[in-house]
Amino acid sequence: MASPGWYPDPNDLGYQQFYDGHQWTGQRRPAGAEDSPAPPSEPTAPQASAAPQAPAAGPGPETDQTQQNPHGPVPPFQPVPTAQLPPAGGPGQPWVPQQPSWQQQPAPPPGPQQWQQPPGPQWQQQPWAGGPPPQRRSRVPLIIALVVVVVAGLAVGGFFLFKGKSSPAAFTFDGKAIDQPDQPLSKAASTVDSLVASRHGAKSKDTRCYFAVPEKPADKAKASDIDHSAWCGPVLFVDGAADKQYLRFSLNSQDADGGKVQLTPSAQPASNDPEALPAGLNLKRPDKASAPGGNGGLSVPAPPPAAKDSIVTADVGSQPIPAAPAGAAMGTGNGGAAVTKLGPVKRYGTGDTARSAPDGQKLIAFTLAGTEDDAGVPSLASGSLSISVDGHTGHKLPEAVPGQPYVAAVPNSARKVDLVLTGSARQTVSLLNGKPGAGNIKLYARSHREQLLSKSGTITFRYSAEIVLPGGGGGTSQTGTWSVNLARLSYTIPARHAKASGPGQALLYVDMGYTLAGQTDLGFDPSIATFTTNSGHRVRARNIAGVAGKIYNVFDVPADLTSGTLHIAGSYTRKFANANQTYTTTVTPITVAITIPKG
């Protein structure tokens, strides 16, 4: 049991309280008043229930008895004389933490009453059994520990809240700090997103916009200075290069508050084609996100699909288009179309305009050339051409573009795909195999239709009776000169209102005649003119002049004629000019071989 005496008040180290050997009396005095006498003992109010007496024992560990005396200070097991306790707050003395103000007892009034414990239930002490109770543990260390825990908690919470984040990187533009540096990068990134969508490009989750910081700053430049561009990537477009993956936007500056500059990216990149990042530049962002290596795993995207059933003129690059079969042509007297190349392709166009086959369809490419009209002039009748699938009404061809083939998207399941020429008759060429339609005018599929001859000779006419000769006088014969200049195949001869007997036939016109004394440009009577084809078929001449006394001889022959022989031989009957009598004219034979190249 502790001896009676003054002990430091843990609630206020500037005061002491008196312990009478059994309990706290509630008497208090300033610390350092050691000469004050001990106060008289006061009777203790009887307690409703006393705590069980603890056996008298030496100093030991603290127990829960501190909870039985919550209203007053508790001396130590071994009281220390007040003379051994230094005054609180003395010079050179260690700091002793104070209890929070809400835990301290109110200071007593000055004078003798300051030694009297104020009445009230807060000064009621619980009886102490087994000697003076142990001194109440200070709450100051607990408060400090709580502060440490709270600070540690904030630090841990901050780690989770800001994990992966750090203070923004600093950038300068020509030595000046950049106001809100993330904004120009965000604007450029928005433009890139639009371009990738409209141009059918490719980007990844790591596609961003960056500032470029030179590894070696220019003379007198800051290490934080950026170049004057925003670099956005990686992005790739159709027909792009896999090692060129950044779009470059020029950065424009204007002064901002605080001596800073505000940057604005150009509305469009410097080039439609991405660039390779120049050596000596490091890509950086305010959020310190890193640029992916190389092209970020992107592949050059394939062209998007063309519109279904579309017909265009376009470049097909290096894709070969096979030559069309011979005879893949059709025409009229005003021109037509010959398919010169024909075959499938995988795509057409280049870059942003490139397209591939639509779903469920294929692309057929072909080139056209004009066919000769009736005047022998090549003419492409593109305005009369269309493409029909399985016999349905065709879609017209667009205007021809020199050097570019036509490309048509047609269903994979189509059994007939025809190039159709409309005019006096419907004609077709299959775009699946190049075969001409059965009703086509075969002659217009030919590219060789004539032969220049320039042959001549002498000819003798004999008469069955004496006639008046052109030079005067009479006679029964005369000699002249014949010439053959040209042989030509035509389907129609509009000036003579003539047409071949069918789409597989042609009219062979041979420009030939003779001269006699005093007479020129005379034509042979059709009755003595025949043509024998290379197959042995003999064809008589037909005069289509349509005017009395005129001769314009033609022969109706197969359109695929390549060779034959012109014969002038035999005799014919004429009337005398001044009588109803007739006479017979016989000519010495003339034979002229004619050859027109095939095709």
Side-chain angles (χ1 to χ4, degrees):
M1 179 178 296
S3 300
W6 292 96
Y7 295 91
D9 186 346
N11 292 327
D12 189 350
L13 296 183
Y15 284 84
Q16 296 175 335
Q17 285 205 44
F18 189 83
Y19 183 75
D20 62 4
H22 300 284
Q23 63 181 3
W24 292 99
T25 64
Q27 301 300 318
R28 303 174 71 240
R29 73 177 186 181
E34 287 83 355
D35 56 326
S36 299
S41 300
E42 293 182 4
T44 302
Q47 301 297 321
S49 60
Q53 295 295 321
E62 291 182 304
T63 69
D64 289 341
Q65 292 173 356
T66 55
Q67 299 177 2
Q68 298 174 354
N69 188 29
H71 300 293
V74 179
F77 283 106
Q78 297 298 327
V80 180
T82 57
Q84 300 178 14
L85 295 175
Q93 301 301 324
W95 176 81
V96 180
Q98 298 289 324
Q99 290 285 357
S101 60
W102 52 270
Q103 291 182 337
Q104 296 183 8
Q105 302 295 338
Q113 291 81 3
Q114 67 182 340
W115 305 110
Q116 300 297 321
Q117 180 172 317
Q122 70 268 28
W123 297 104
Q124 296 299 321
Q125 304 290 331
Q126 298 295 333
W128 179 260
Q135 191 175 31
R136 180 182 299 174
R137 289 175 292 184
S138 172
R139 296 181 181 177
V140 173
L142 176 61
I143 293 172
I144 295 175
L146 288 174
V147 171
V148 172
V149 170
V150 170
V151 172
L154 288 174
V156 173
F159 172 77
F160 286 107
L161 286 173
F162 303 103
K163 182 178 180 181
K165 294 183 180 293
S166 57
S167 59
F171 297 102
T172 53
F173 187 90
D174 291 339
K176 295 184 178 180
I178 300 172
D179 184 40
Q180 302 182 58
D182 58 315
Q183 288 192 357
L185 298 183
S186 296
K187 290 181 180 179
S190 178
T191 302
V192 170
D193 288 343
S194 298
L195 289 174
V196 169
S198 63
R199 297 177 58 189
H200 308 282
K203 69 172 189 172
S204 72
K205 61 182 180 62
D206 296 321
T207 298
R208 305 181 184 92
C209 292
Y210 302 86
F211 293 130
V213 180
E215 293 178 357
K216 295 182 179 180
D219 186 32
K220 297 183 181 180
K222 291 185 176 181
S224 57
D225 269 0
I226 65 173
D227 75 345
H228 289 193
S229 299
W231 296 81
C232 301
V235 291
L236 292 174
F237 297 100
V238 177
D239 294 336
D243 59 346
K244 297 179 179 179
Q245 61 274 358
Y246 282 90
L247 291 173
R248 180 170 57 89
F249 291 79
S250 299
L251 292 174
N252 302 310
S253 66
Q254 62 182 24
D255 292 337
D257 294 339
K260 297 182 178 181
V261 292
Q262 187 178 59
L263 300 182
T264 304
S266 55
Q268 295 296 321
S271 171
N272 286 334
D273 297 324
E275 307 174 30
L277 184 68
L281 293 179
N282 292 323
L283 297 182
K284 295 185 178 182
R285 286 174 52 87
D287 60 7
K288 299 186 178 180
S290 299
N295 58 23
L298 294 179
S299 298
V300 176
K308 287 192 173 184
D309 304 320
S310 58
I311 307 171
V312 299
T313 57
D315 181 14
V316 296
S318 60
Q319 297 175 97
I321 306 176
M330 50 196 169
T332 67
N334 297 318
V339 180
T340 55
K341 292 183 179 181
L342 174 65
V345 292
K346 296 293 185 182
R347 50 164 286 176
Y348 64 81
T350 57
D352 294 350
T353 63
R355 294 294 182 269
S356 57
D359 186 33
Q361 296 199 327
K362 57 188 174 184
L363 298 177
I364 298 176
F366 57 95
T367 58
L368 299 178
T371 60
E372 292 184 4
D373 59 16
D374 287 330
V377 179
S379 177
L380 177 62
S382 58
S384 300
L385 296 173
S386 61
I387 294 178
S388 172
V389 176
D390 289 333
H392 297 294
T393 302
H395 298 283
K396 285 189 172 295
L397 263 62
E399 288 294 326
V401 176
Q404 291 188 354
Y406 292 92
V407 183
V410 299
N412 292 327
S413 59
R415 292 182 294 177
K416 288 181 61 179
V417 180
D418 293 329
L419 179 66
V420 179
L421 174 65
T422 55
S424 57
R426 186 179 187 270
Q427 302 178 69
T428 64
V429 171
S430 173
L431 293 180
L432 298 179
N433 53 32
K435 291 184 178 180
N440 285 14
I441 300 173
K442 292 184 178 180
L443 179 66
Y444 292 118
R446 293 191 62 163
S447 55
H448 301 293
R449 302 189 196 176
E450 67 181 23
Q451 179 190 19
L452 294 176
L453 297 167
S454 299
K455 293 184 177 182
S456 61
T458 59
I459 186 172
T460 299
F461 294 85
R462 291 183 173 87
Y463 312 111
S464 61
E466 186 178 356
I467 65 170
V468 177
L469 300 176
T476 58
S477 67
Q478 60 180 336
T479 300
T481 302
W482 63 266
S483 63
V484 176
N485 302 310
L486 172 74
R488 175 174 176 78
L489 294 171
S490 301
Y491 182 71
T492 63
I493 302 178
R496 305 300 176 183
H497 307 286
K499 183 173 73 171
S501 60
Q505 295 295 108
L507 297 177
L508 174 62
Y509 167 70
V510 180
D511 180 17
M512 65 177 299
Y514 63 95
T515 63
L516 291 173
Q519 293 179 306
T520 59
D521 199 20
L522 301 174
F524 291 104
D525 190 282
S527 62
I528 61 172
T530 60
F531 184 84
T532 303
T533 66
N534 52 352
S535 62
H537 181 65
R538 188 176 182 182
V539 181
R540 291 189 176 275
R542 177 162 61 104
N543 183 10
I544 61 171
V547 178
K550 299 291 184 180
I551 294 177
Y552 195 103
N553 289 331
V554 295
F555 304 91
D556 195 284
V557 298
D560 58 358
L561 176 74
T562 57
S563 65
T565 304
L566 173 67
H567 300 276
I568 304 295
S571 59
Y572 54 91
T573 301
R574 286 287 187 267
K575 283 186 177 183
F576 285 105
N578 56 357
N580 290 329
Q581 295 178 352
T582 62
Y583 61 96
T584 301
T585 300
T586 304
V587 298
T588 55
I590 300 172
T591 301
V592 179
I594 294 176
T595 301
I596 300 176
K598 184 178 180 180

